Amino acid sequence: MNAGLMIIEILDILLTVVRWIIIIQAIMSWLIAFNVINRTSDFVTTLWMTLDRLTEPMYRPLRKIMPDFGALDLTPMVALIIVIILQSVILPRIAMAMIGL
C-alpha cells in the first residue's frame, strides 16, 4: 500500500474520532443545560474539561467569524459539517488523485 494512502486512512480515522468527540460534547452540553447530569461530579467535570480542551482549538477560529447568536452556540454544528466535508469529499478526492483516477 502506498504511504500516502496510509496517511489518508489515518486522517480518515482521526476525523471519525473528532466527529464523535464533537457529538459527545454537544450531547453532554445539553444534558448539563437541562440538569440531567451535574457538573459537581468529579467524573463529569473531568470529562467535560477534557472534551473542552480537545474541541476549543477547533471552535476558537470558527467563533471569530461566526455571528453571535446569544445563548445558542452553533459552532459545534459548523465544526461537524466541516469535518464531514473533509471526510466525505476532500479525502476521497485526494486519495483518487494519488492512485491516478
Side-chain angles (χ1 to χ4, degrees), residues 16-89:
T16 300
V17 170
V18 168
R19 187 189 287 194
W20 279 109
I21 288 171
I22 292 170
I23 291 169
I24 291 168
Q25 186 192 32
I27 292 171
M28 192 170 172
S29 72
W30 297 334
L31 293 175
I32 290 171
F34 292 115
N35 211 17
V36 175
I37 58 175
N38 195 342
R39 285 194 54 191
T40 58
S41 163
D42 288 338
F43 174 74
V44 172
T45 302
T46 303
L47 182 60
W48 181 253
M49 289 176 61
T50 302
L51 292 172
D52 188 55
R53 286 184 182 149
L54 289 171
T55 57
E56 190 57 33
M58 288 182 291
Y59 295 165
R60 194 175 308 118
L62 294 173
R63 286 190 175 122
K64 288 180 182 178
I65 59 173
M66 288 185 58
D68 185 18
F69 292 108
L72 183 62
D73 185 15
L74 297 177
T75 310
M77 184 179 69
V78 172
L80 190 60
I81 290 170
I82 291 170
V83 168
I84 290 170
I85 290 170
L86 284 171
Q87 195 171 21
S88 61
V89 177

